């Protein structure tokens, strides 16, 4: 009465009152539900194409129940990056954040995963499909046991993948990798693909590929050499103009500035805060000189011919690709596969790139760096850091590629969509090989724990526009989807650069379409028996 509702807690018997407009109708967990997809938005960049991706804003358990009806045993690949159950409040259970001190946090996490994987199993094609789950060391043992228990008929393999070469502090170690579980059903196996030697460098190379370590290493990559002049005419006095500072950012390990020649009688140039000044100093402390001048060095950095090496007492080793070796890249003897964080090319002999290889179980691939090709890439698209720890776009693309390269019409589902990297990766795969793969993303529209506290202090609650517009689906996943498809950032400016390993410009977008739905529910008493889905699906 008077716009207020009486509430009774079935578990405790506690009674309370709340305003009616603050309540959301829900079903008891496990009760039959009658979902409906409510259109929210769409983006169309290929009006003549039937390729439509889907983003569903929903609790993924309920969305999976809907997908079970729509696509039973029809999904080719499920890729998920679930909450890692770290020490932070990174996932919810029973509508509340799990505290890191909760003694049941592992069992709660397993319960959450098991409920969803049970339904996921029913939408996967049992004859030929794969479930891919990424995880870190907090739950990989529990997850492995759960997968073995739930999918005894499948072949399961775990891969270690380096996502942060610099590492992050974790229990006294510098953690640089995470794990990927591949659960393969029926005839499913990873395809042999043309992989560069960067892939096999993290595994044991067979005797057929490598007979003499030194000679084989020389033939794999073009010959990089030190920027510091060696041998004759290598002193500063021999070429005074080639004694100049190179300024390096020690955190990103990239060259930020190149100074001008330092006058004779002066040992160092002016320091730049936050950067390390690198000079051509020999191990014995004497002054040497660089191989090329500062103007030419800038040109070679633009060409990807300058590579930052290990730290030293005088700064960093700086290597470059001489003209003769660069000519081998230009004429096609070596092929550029990607670029490192410092902008240097990663190139391998053409015949090695074209060779079909089996994927190793340890991946140390430069383009899989989550900082450069996850966080930095996402920020360039949506304008600010709105999502913590997104996956590298190329790590997801490569992971999917092993299982859908020969399935140009594959249906791929990600029900822990996060920032939307999976859909972005599927579009990139399609653009690279002409495929027509379709992706379905599912994510809720939760805000972070800190954001929720701030919004509540301001008087907002879930359902209010000020709250909902900051939710992950509307603030991150959908904007990224729209921007990557149209080739424009959130401000309407063309995206800059090309996708690594291809000549696809980001500003060209993708020939694809996507629609954004919110999952709603009908009153079960108003749905006629036997007519549920005919009436509620669009």
């Amino acid at each position: 009465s008077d716009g207020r509702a009486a509430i009774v807690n079935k578990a405790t018997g506690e009674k309370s009152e709340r305003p009616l407009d603050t309540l959301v109708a829900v079903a008891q967990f496990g009760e039959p539900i009658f979902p409906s997809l409510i259109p929210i938005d769409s983006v169309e960049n290929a009006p003549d194409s039937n390729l439509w991706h889907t983003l569903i804003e929903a609790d993924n358990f309920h969305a999976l129940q809907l997908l079970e009806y729509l696509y039973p045993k029809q999904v080719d690949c499920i890729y998920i990056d679930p909450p890692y159950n770290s020490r932070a409040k990174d996932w919810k259970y029973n509508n509340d954040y799990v505290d890191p001190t909760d003694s049941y946090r592992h069992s709660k996490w397993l319960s959450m995963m098991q409920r969803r994987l049970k339904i996921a199993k029913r939408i996967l094609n049992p004859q030929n499909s794969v479930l891919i789950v990424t995880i870190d060391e907090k739950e990989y043992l529990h997850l492995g046991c759960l997968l073995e228990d739930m999918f005894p008929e499948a072949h399961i393999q775990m891969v270690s993948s380096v996502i942060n070469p610099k590492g992050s502090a974790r229990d006294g170690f510098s953690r640089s990798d995470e794990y990927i579980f591949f659960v393969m059903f029926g005839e499913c196996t990873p395809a042999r693909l043309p992989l560069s030697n960067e892939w096999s460098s993290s595994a044991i190379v067979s005797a057929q590929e490598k007979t003499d370590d030194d000679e084989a290493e020389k033939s794999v990559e073009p010959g990089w050499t030190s920027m510091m002049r060696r041998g004759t005419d290598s002193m500063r006095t021999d070429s005074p103009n080639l004694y100049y500072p190179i300024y390096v950012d020690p955190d990103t390990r990239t060259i930020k500035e190149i100074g001008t020649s330092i006058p004779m009688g002066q040992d160092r140039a002016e320091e730049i805060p936050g950067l390390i000044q690198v000079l051509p100093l020999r191990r014995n402390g004497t002054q040497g000189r660089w191989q090329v001048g500062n103007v030419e060095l800038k040109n070679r950095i633009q060409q990807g011919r300058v590579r930052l090496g290990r730290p030293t007492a005088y700064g960093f080793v700086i290597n470059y690709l001489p003209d003769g070796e660069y000519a081998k890249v230009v004429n096609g003897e070596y092929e550029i596969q990607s670029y490192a964080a410092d902008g240097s090319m990663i190139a391998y002999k053409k015949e090695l790139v074209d060779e079909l290889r089996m994927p190793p179980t340890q991946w140390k691939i430069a383009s899989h760096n989550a900082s450069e090709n996850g966080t930095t890439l996402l920020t360039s698209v949506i304008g600010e850091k709105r999502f913590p720890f997104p996956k590298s776009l190329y790590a997801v693309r490569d992971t999917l590629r092993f299982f859908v390269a020969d399935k140009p019409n594959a249906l791929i589902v990600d029900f822990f969509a996060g920032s939307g990297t999976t859909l972005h990766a599927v579009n990139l795969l399609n653009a690279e090989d002409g495929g027509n793969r379709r992706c379905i993303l599912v994510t809720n529209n939760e805000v972070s724990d800190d954001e929720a506290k701030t919004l509540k202090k301001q008087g907002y609650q879930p359902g209010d526009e000020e709250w909902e517009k900051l939710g992950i689906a509307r603030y991150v996943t959908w904007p990224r989807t729209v921007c990557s498809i149209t080739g424009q950032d959130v401000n309407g400016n063309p995206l800059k650069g090309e996708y690594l390993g291809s000549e696809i410009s980001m500003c060209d977008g993708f020939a694809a379409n996507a629609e954004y739905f919110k999952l709603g529910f009908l009153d079960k008493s108003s749905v006629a028996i036997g007519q549920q889905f005919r009436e509620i699906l669009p």
Side-chain angles (χ1 to χ4, degrees):
S1 63
D2 299 325
R4 297 184 67 81
I7 301 173
V8 179
N9 187 314
K10 286 186 176 181
T12 65
E14 180 183 356
K15 297 180 180 179
S16 62
E17 284 191 358
R18 296 286 176 83
L20 279 173
D21 60 4
T22 66
L23 301 182
V24 178
V26 297
Q28 190 77 12
F29 192 87
E31 286 183 358
I33 61 170
F34 303 107
S36 63
L37 292 177
I38 305 168
I40 301 296
D41 199 1
S42 64
V43 56
E44 188 172 3
N45 202 39
D48 298 326
S49 172
N50 64 352
L51 179 59
W52 282 85
H53 303 297
T54 304
L55 169 64
I56 302 175
E57 178 191 323
D59 177 282
N60 56 13
F61 182 86
H62 295 139
L64 282 168
Q65 289 177 306
L66 176 62
L67 295 179
E68 182 185 2
Y69 173 80
L70 295 173
Y71 303 105
K73 300 181 180 181
Q74 296 179 42
V75 174
D76 298 289
C77 173
I78 291 177
Y79 175 98
I80 55 174
D81 180 31
Y84 283 2
N85 199 12
S86 65
R87 294 184 177 127
K89 290 185 174 181
D90 63 345
W91 69 285
K92 281 189 173 184
Y93 187 79
N94 289 342
N95 204 38
D96 196 10
Y97 284 100
V98 174
D99 191 278
T101 62
D102 189 334
S103 59
Y104 294 99
R105 67 184 185 277
H106 295 296
S107 60
K108 286 181 177 180
W109 187 87
L110 284 171
S111 175
M112 180 272 295
M113 290 295 294
Q114 184 185 46
R115 285 174 170 173
R116 287 151 179 79
L117 291 175
K118 278 183 178 179
I119 306 179
K121 183 176 183 178
R122 296 197 285 267
I123 66 175
L124 284 165
N125 176 3
Q127 305 304 316
N128 190 339
S129 65
V130 64
L131 165 67
I132 304 171
V133 189
T134 62
I135 200 69
D136 73 359
E137 76 276 11
K138 288 292 180 289
E139 294 291 353
Y140 85 101
L141 292 172
H142 299 99
L143 177 63
C145 290
L146 178 65
L147 296 175
E148 292 281 357
D149 181 63
M150 293 187 67
F151 310 115
E153 75 282 16
H155 302 284
I156 302 176
Q157 177 63 54
M158 188 181 79
V159 162
S160 173
S161 176
V162 174
I163 61 167
N164 181 9
K166 292 191 297 184
S168 59
R170 186 70 65 88
D171 296 327
F173 290 88
S174 179
R175 185 181 75 89
S176 62
D177 63 346
E178 65 178 16
Y179 310 103
I180 310 173
F181 279 100
F182 295 92
V183 184
M184 297 164 280
F185 298 92
E187 300 175 355
C188 181
T189 57
R192 289 177 177 265
L193 297 175
L195 302 176
S196 70
N197 215 59
E198 186 182 17
W199 287 83
S200 62
S201 65
S202 58
I204 298 175
V205 183
S206 68
Q208 289 80 6
E209 295 177 60
K210 200 170 184 180
T211 54
D212 181 272
D213 287 347
D214 292 335
E215 290 304 314
E217 197 62 37
K218 290 177 184 177
S219 67
V220 169
E221 280 197 274
W224 293 81
T225 190
S226 173
M227 260 287 292
M228 181 122 45
R229 176 81 175 187
R230 307 290 184 187
T232 59
D233 300 324
S234 60
M235 302 299 292
R236 177 184 182 181
T237 52
D238 294 322
S239 297
N241 289 337
L242 297 184
Y243 185 82
Y244 57 85
I246 299 173
Y247 295 95
V248 173
D249 185 331
D251 294 325
T252 62
R253 294 177 70 97
T254 54
I255 295 173
K256 293 297 185 183
E257 298 285 345
I258 299 173
T260 58
S261 300
I262 300 174
M264 291 296 293
Q266 181 179 335
D267 295 333
R268 298 182 66 81
E270 184 178 350
E271 303 294 341
I272 298 178
L275 302 181
I276 293 177
Q277 181 178 166
V278 183
L279 294 166
L281 301 176
R282 299 170 175 275
R283 291 178 182 175
N284 61 8
T286 58
Q287 296 174 344
R289 58 115 165 165
W290 298 123
Q291 294 272 18
V292 298
N294 54 359
V295 174
E296 177 61 19
L297 179 61
K298 291 178 183 179
N299 293 332
R300 297 191 179 197
I301 289 175
Q302 292 295 318
Q303 294 169 332
R305 295 171 59 185
V306 180
R307 175 178 293 180
L308 206 61
R310 60 181 173 80
T312 67
Y314 57 85
F316 286 88
V317 170
I318 297 176
N319 297 312
Y320 82 111
L321 203 59
D323 291 337
E325 293 299 295
Y326 182 60
K328 295 178 183 178
V329 177
V330 174
N331 66 28
E333 184 177 340
Y334 292 88
E335 182 172 323
I336 300 174
Q337 288 300 290
S338 61
Y339 289 87
D342 61 4
S344 63
M345 68 176 69
I346 298 173
Y348 298 98
K349 263 202 177 291
K350 186 67 166 57
E351 58 266 27
L352 292 177
V353 172
D354 289 341
E355 183 180 347
L356 296 180
R357 295 170 181 253
M358 181 184 299
T361 57
Q362 290 187 344
W363 298 356
K364 190 176 182 180
I365 312 302
S367 63
H368 292 189
N369 186 322
S371 175
E372 295 295 324
N373 300 311
T375 301
T376 300
L377 186 150
L378 179 60
T379 301
S380 72
V381 172
I382 60 178
E384 56 185 300
K385 190 174 181 180
R386 301 182 179 181
F387 185 83
F389 313 122
K391 286 282 184 289
S392 161
L393 171 66
Y394 309 105
V396 178
R397 177 202 61 186
D398 290 343
T399 302
L400 295 174
R401 190 166 55 129
F402 286 115
F403 294 92
V404 299
D406 60 348
K407 296 178 181 178
N409 298 304
L411 176 58
I412 299 161
V413 171
D414 181 351
F415 54 86
F416 283 103
S419 70
T421 308
T422 303
L423 194 154
H424 198 162
V426 170
N427 273 330
L428 180 56
L429 272 172
N430 285 341
E432 289 174 335
D433 66 8
N436 200 54
R437 303 171 186 88
R438 182 185 171 208
C439 183
I440 299 175
L441 297 182
V442 179
T443 183
N444 57 35
N445 198 45
E446 290 177 354
V447 300
S448 70
D449 184 43
D450 290 339
E451 287 172 330
K453 290 177 181 176
T454 300
L455 288 166
K456 286 179 180 178
K457 287 180 180 179
Q458 296 171 349
Y460 298 112
Q461 58 189 357
D464 292 339
E465 178 58 28
E466 291 298 318
W467 185 297
E468 295 299 320
K469 73 179 184 180
L470 295 178
I472 183 172
R474 302 189 188 191
Y475 194 52
V476 181
T477 321
W478 183 243
R480 178 187 190 159
T481 298
V482 173
C483 291
S484 60
I485 288 177
T486 61
Q488 298 179 333
D489 66 20
V490 289
N491 298 313
N493 302 313
L495 296 177
K496 298 178 181 179
E498 295 182 342
Y499 289 105
L500 297 183
S502 69
E503 297 180 356
I504 301 171
S505 295
M506 292 187 181
C507 65
D508 291 339
F510 297 111
N513 314 294
E515 191 154 13
Y516 174 13
F517 295 97
K518 182 174 181 178
L519 189 67
F521 301 96
L522 297 182
D523 184 346
K524 62 183 178 183
S525 63
S526 66
V527 180
I529 300 299
Q531 300 296 313
Q532 300 98 321
F533 291 102
R534 184 163 63 86
E535 295 199 10
I536 64 183
L537 294 178

